[in-house]
Amino acid sequence: MALQRPKGTHDYLPEGSPKIQAAFRASSFQTVLQIAQTVLERSGAQFIVTPLFEEMELVKRGVGGSSDIVRKEMFTVFYFGDHGGYVLRPEGTAGVVRAYLENGLKQLPSPLKLWTHGPMFRAENVHQGRYRQFHQVDYEIIGSESALADAEAVALMAQVVETLGLKRARIRLGSVGDQADRQAYSAYLRELFTPHFEQLSDDSRDRLERNPLRILDSKSAGDQALIDELQVRPLLEALGPEAAAHFAEVRGYLDAWGVAYDLDPSIVRGLDYYNRTAWELHHEGVGAKSALGGGGRYDGLAEELGGPATPGLGWAFGIERVLLALEAEGVNLLLAGGPQLYLAALDNENVALAAKLALQVRSQARAEFAYRALKPGQIFREAERRGAVYAGLLGSQEAERGVVTLKHLKSGTQREVLFDDLAEALAEAAVLEQA
Ligand code: HAM
């Protein structure tokens, strides 16, 4: 049997591919990125690219030892003689903050807004919306404690979602407080759950020791039933005065700007670096437990990575889950169409000239050309298969007079256009076509 892609990965395919799955069209993937880029860069964000693999230590310190990621989902890369191993990055934030510290980005205007995208890797149990290689769009604001930064980041996530055309995605907003708040709350949870140790799932027994907060995020039905039964007081009600005031301020801005969200008093994120504002983006089309995106503040992360105290926050969404949600809502992202011109020569002598004309046209329009001479019927067929707007024919007679015969494939009308006017004629026609 021919080799297959690894479990939990996808091929994003061009239109017309026989095995294409609606959610995994390369053109939809590209459109999501284009929309994200436009919206995020309008906020002043700059693009950054960091490596696909990082020191294991960075991931451990960044994402945190009690997270599922570090405990069981790291793709580790060893090579002979290696010190401690590298990890295929499970998320983008730790790498971006490392790059910020390592490259002295503190010198740039503060706060610094950065965005990136790319594949992330987690060795998960694979099912719908949960993959081993997935892609994130990631947005970070580094260098500000202001509640305005939190509100701006949330508002921007909402704007990307709206621009994509998603109607049924909801933001669930909460706060995980300051470190002292979380320590006190962890002690409360330990006290509450310890007498019920036997009822907890294996994972949650482990969490009771390492990070009891994560019990609240358990996917086990038994754990969730116990949480209900014990009437666990939400973390949001246990915030210290500073974190509570900061959160009230964030909410105040969002309410004033008309950004919709649901208050989620029990939000617990799956990564350890969060403090204060934390949120997730949910959609019923992707499954109750799977978020389209998530984010929050991580004021202690830079110090954890060995840098000076530097507040920051951000979010990421998973492109696969966004595409599944778009599919569930029946939203068809606008696709980049075929070429405006498919140009071919009718005889061998004019193949190079047809190519030259197509290359020139590309300064203003999408154009393809045939690598050999074709008959008119073949040219029309090939042009149609590519979804072209015009088929262009170049025979010896046309070449002598310096013209190309353009056939508008939809209407069937034909006309001759001078070589020099070709690019302009196609650009004009493209505008008319869109109107
Ligand atoms: P996260 O919640 O771990 O946060 O991941 C963000 C999004 O990535 C998820 O909501 C989901 O859409 C997608 N995702 C995560 N794991 C998988 C998977 N196995 N398969 C498919 N999609 C997945 C972070 O990664 C943080 N770095 C976000 C952040 C940025 N916080 C502050 N700045």
Side-chain angles (χ1 to χ4, degrees):
M1 192 169 59
L3 291 172
Q4 296 182 336
R5 62 175 190 268
K7 192 173 167 196
T9 67
H10 291 97
D11 297 315
Y12 281 86
L13 301 171
E15 294 306 299
S17 305
K19 291 191 179 172
I20 200 162
Q21 239 183 297
F24 299 107
R25 291 151 70 172
S27 57
S28 312
F29 184 96
Q30 212 176 11
T31 308
V32 169
L33 283 181
Q34 281 166 358
I35 288 174
Q37 173 172 8
T38 306
V39 175
L40 301 182
E41 291 187 353
R42 280 184 194 159
S43 83
Q46 304 193 67
F47 191 51
I48 184 168
V49 179
T50 64
L52 294 198
F53 62 95
E54 293 273 3
E55 295 277 356
M56 185 184 284
E57 189 61 19
L58 177 85
V59 175
K60 281 189 176 163
R61 285 209 237 163
V63 175
S66 79
S67 66
D68 282 354
I69 293 179
V70 168
R71 290 186 46 241
K72 47 189 183 191
E73 294 169 359
M74 289 199 292
F75 274 110
T76 313
V77 187
F78 289 110
Y79 61 83
F80 187 72
D82 189 17
H83 47 300
Y86 295 108
V87 175
L88 294 183
R89 62 180 186 189
E91 57 99 51
T93 310
V96 169
V97 173
R98 180 212 36 79
Y100 176 94
L101 296 170
E102 183 172 347
N103 298 294
L105 302 193
K106 193 174 190 272
Q107 317 252 341
L108 299 182
S110 178
L112 184 63
K113 295 170 181 168
L114 298 168
W115 84 280
T116 188
H117 68 83
M120 308 291 161
F121 306 87
R122 299 182 192 178
E124 307 236 32
N125 285 328
V126 177
H127 52 85
Q128 166 87 338
R130 192 165 292 277
Y131 309 119
R132 292 186 176 162
Q133 175 175 319
F134 57 96
H135 299 77
Q136 283 185 347
V137 166
D138 182 276
Y139 181 79
E140 313 288 353
I141 304 180
I142 305 181
S144 175
E145 280 182 347
S146 169
L148 272 167
D150 307 49
E152 182 180 13
V154 173
L156 211 58
M157 189 183 219
Q159 201 189 345
V160 174
V161 166
E162 191 189 314
T163 314
L164 284 166
L166 276 178
K167 300 246 179 324
R168 303 207 302 264
R170 297 288 301 178
I171 288 172
R172 291 191 201 157
L173 185 76
S175 171
V176 296
D178 288 320
Q179 208 184 351
D181 305 336
R182 270 199 314 289
Q183 272 167 359
Y185 188 68
S186 293
Y188 155 76
L189 291 179
R190 263 196 204 103
E191 210 166 291
L192 197 66
F193 283 113
T194 303
H196 302 275
F197 185 81
E198 297 302 325
Q199 284 164 267
L200 289 171
S201 67
D202 286 348
D203 269 351
S204 285
R205 287 178 189 178
D206 196 44
R207 289 174 183 140
L208 191 61
E209 181 63 32
R210 294 169 191 267
N211 184 358
L213 257 146
R214 304 249 24 251
I215 297 176
L216 306 181
D217 205 23
S218 169
K219 296 194 170 61
S220 139
D223 288 349
Q224 286 303 334
L226 184 63
I227 291 164
D228 284 345
E229 189 190 313
L230 295 177
Q231 298 189 334
V232 178
R233 177 165 53 107
L235 174 54
L236 199 63
E237 287 172 20
L239 297 187
E242 286 177 12
H246 191 269
F247 187 55
E249 210 185 324
V250 174
R251 291 188 61 191
Y253 293 128
L254 291 173
D255 293 342
W257 302 342
V259 178
Y261 63 87
D262 300 320
L263 192 63
D264 184 348
S266 58
I267 196 150
V268 185
R269 302 274 297 122
L271 309 146
D272 289 355
Y273 49 58
Y274 291 112
N275 68 312
R276 297 201 170 179
T277 320
W279 67 93
E280 283 180 351
L281 181 72
H282 281 265
H283 193 281
E284 81 281 358
V286 187
K289 282 274 162 203
S290 301
L292 296 192
R297 193 166 261 290
Y298 46 78
D299 294 333
L301 178 59
E303 268 179 299
E304 191 63 51
L305 302 182
T310 313
L313 80 158
W315 52 256
F317 66 75
I319 297 183
E320 285 75 9
R321 291 192 190 166
V322 162
L323 290 173
L324 287 168
L326 286 164
E327 193 189 345
E329 287 198 19
V331 180
N332 226 334
L333 291 178
L334 205 69
L335 304 172
Q340 278 141 292
L341 172 66
Y342 179 77
L343 182 60
L346 295 169
D347 39 53
N348 289 335
E349 297 80 72
N350 289 305
V351 169
L353 178 59
K356 182 180 170 193
L357 290 170
L359 292 172
Q360 282 169 359
V361 159
R362 285 183 188 165
S363 62
Q364 291 181 53
R366 287 193 304 279
E368 291 183 34
F369 59 89
Y371 287 175
R372 61 188 175 89
L374 299 175
K375 298 195 171 69
Q378 292 175 306
I379 299 176
F380 300 142
R381 229 179 5 259
E382 288 297 321
E384 263 164 21
R385 281 195 64 192
R386 286 167 171 74
V389 179
Y390 286 97
L393 284 67
L394 183 70
S396 308
Q397 284 184 2
E398 280 104 342
E400 262 168 43
R401 288 186 288 123
V403 297
V404 166
T405 299
L406 278 190
K407 179 177 177 180
H408 187 252
L409 291 165
K410 223 190 270 168
S411 63
T413 53
Q414 230 163 276
R415 65 188 165 124
E416 290 188 344
V417 176
L418 285 169
F419 289 172
D420 285 347
D421 297 342
L422 197 53
E424 207 140 306
L426 289 169
E428 265 170 32
V431 173
L432 290 177
E433 203 82 21
Q434 274 172 5

